[in-house]
Amino acid sequence: MFYWVVKVVLSPFLRTFWRPWIEGLEHVPAEGPAILASNHLSFLDSIFLPLMLPRRVTFLAKMDYFTQGGLKGRAKRMFFSGVGQLPIDRSGGKASDAALRSGVRVLSGGKLLGIYPEGTRSPDGRLYRGKVGVARMALEAKVLVVPVAMFGTFEVQPQGRTIPRIRRVGMRIGRPLDFSRYQDMADDRFVLRSITDEIMYELMQLSGQEYVDMYAQQAKDEIAASRAAAAAAAEQAGPAALPGRPAEPAGKPKRTATPRQAGPARASATRESD
């Protein structure tokens, strides 16, 4: 009930200021389970996507939203729990298995499950390598995967920005992807990687984003390390040094390729934690 109350209350405000648009709504099943696999540009993705769909969407949300202390933390827990988001531990191993089971339970109940295959928000607006959890859930729950490309939310509220800008946002929904041909291969990591790369390729086509063949979290770590190194160098140089920005290669990783070129060829030779 709280989900629909929040949607009704926020809808006029969000539609007035950000004028969200949507294409391909007919590709979302009118009933029954499906996975909505979206690129992830901003926290607002989880606000605008459910706003524009007539059906309820349950997202797997990071555990941080449910574990903060104080009044602000309690308010966050109440809000995210009320709108039906499920906390997941993204630390890998058994925690990843628990997240997978949570997603499959949602799908088994005939609901729409929203997931971000990149695992975290893009640090620079580009599309990063997908994690294979989305493929495993699709095979175990025997459901279609509907690709969704978000537009404009990175410019409205990139990570680290508190107050969103006012500009138009939108989303483009692609045709559902059917992976039933792999139904008995949910434990084959090569198959899982191939499925995930196919999903990421569709997202790249829908969004027009540049694809980077590395995980978004790794890119964030490299950017943070570059900034820390730049700050340390500036401090050592003394007050005469002018503040600078991280070098472009470190701030924007250059490892680019299409998902179909990059992922499957390496899947059998590498180990992943997703």
Side-chain angles (χ1 to χ4, degrees):
M1 178 62 73
F2 184 72
Y3 178 95
W4 299 109
V5 171
V6 170
K7 187 170 182 176
V8 169
V9 171
L10 290 182
S11 183
F13 174 77
L14 296 173
R15 290 179 183 274
T16 298
F17 286 95
W18 286 278
R19 297 175 295 125
W21 56 267
I22 185 170
E23 295 178 3
L25 181 59
E26 67 275 10
H27 296 315
V28 178
E31 58 183 21
I35 294 175
L36 302 180
S38 172
N39 59 339
H40 200 12
L41 300 171
S42 168
F43 167 78
L44 294 177
D45 298 333
S46 300
I47 301 296
F48 284 106
L49 179 55
L51 172 72
M52 300 300 289
L53 299 183
R55 292 186 60 187
R56 175 172 178 161
V57 183
T58 299
F59 281 94
L60 299 182
K62 64 181 181 179
M63 186 70 71
D64 297 358
Y65 293 149
F66 297 84
T67 57
Q68 294 181 14
L71 183 60
K72 184 177 180 181
R74 287 196 296 273
K76 279 188 175 182
R77 284 196 298 276
M78 290 177 60
F79 175 80
F80 287 111
S81 297
V83 297
Q85 298 208 17
L86 300 177
I88 61 168
D89 187 338
R90 301 184 298 184
S91 59
K94 292 183 179 180
S96 296
D97 291 338
L100 171 66
R101 290 193 298 272
S102 295
V104 172
R105 280 197 300 271
V106 171
L107 294 166
S108 298
K111 300 177 182 178
L112 291 179
L113 178 70
I115 190 170
Y116 302 112
E118 292 169 277
T120 187
R121 285 169 283 181
S122 171
D124 53 21
R126 298 189 293 176
L127 185 69
Y128 284 83
R129 199 169 193 237
K131 296 192 172 187
V132 301
V134 60
R136 187 177 287 113
M137 277 190 279
L139 293 184
E140 292 200 7
K142 302 178 181 179
V143 298
L144 299 173
V145 177
V146 182
V148 180
M150 302 297 299
F151 294 87
T153 52
F154 181 81
E155 290 75 16
V156 170
Q157 192 178 35
Q159 192 166 2
R161 183 178 180 87
T162 303
I163 301 176
R165 301 182 181 97
I166 302 297
R167 59 166 293 169
R168 201 170 190 196
V169 303
M171 61 209 70
R172 182 175 294 132
I173 303 174
R175 294 180 181 276
L177 304 175
D178 184 356
F179 298 109
S180 58
R181 61 191 182 277
Y182 300 117
Q183 199 55 66
D184 297 324
M185 307 173 75
D187 294 326
D188 188 321
R189 293 195 66 80
F190 181 80
V191 169
L192 295 178
R193 171 46 56 193
S194 297
I195 291 173
T196 304
D197 287 335
E198 184 173 340
I199 294 169
M200 300 312 293
Y201 183 81
E202 291 299 319
L203 289 178
M204 184 183 71
Q205 294 291 98
L206 286 170
S207 68
Q209 290 172 276
E210 178 184 351
Y211 179 79
V212 184
D213 184 32
M214 67 189 304
Y215 292 116
Q217 187 57 56
Q218 181 183 348
K220 288 182 178 182
D221 293 342
E222 289 187 5
I223 292 172
S226 176
R227 289 174 177 169
E235 185 176 353
Q236 289 180 354
L242 293 175
R245 299 180 65 181
E248 180 70 9
K252 276 194 172 185
K254 296 297 183 183
R255 207 177 308 172
T256 59
T258 69
R260 287 180 175 172
Q261 291 170 334
R266 300 191 315 165
S268 61
T270 59
R271 293 179 60 87
E272 301 177 88
S273 61
D274 48 333

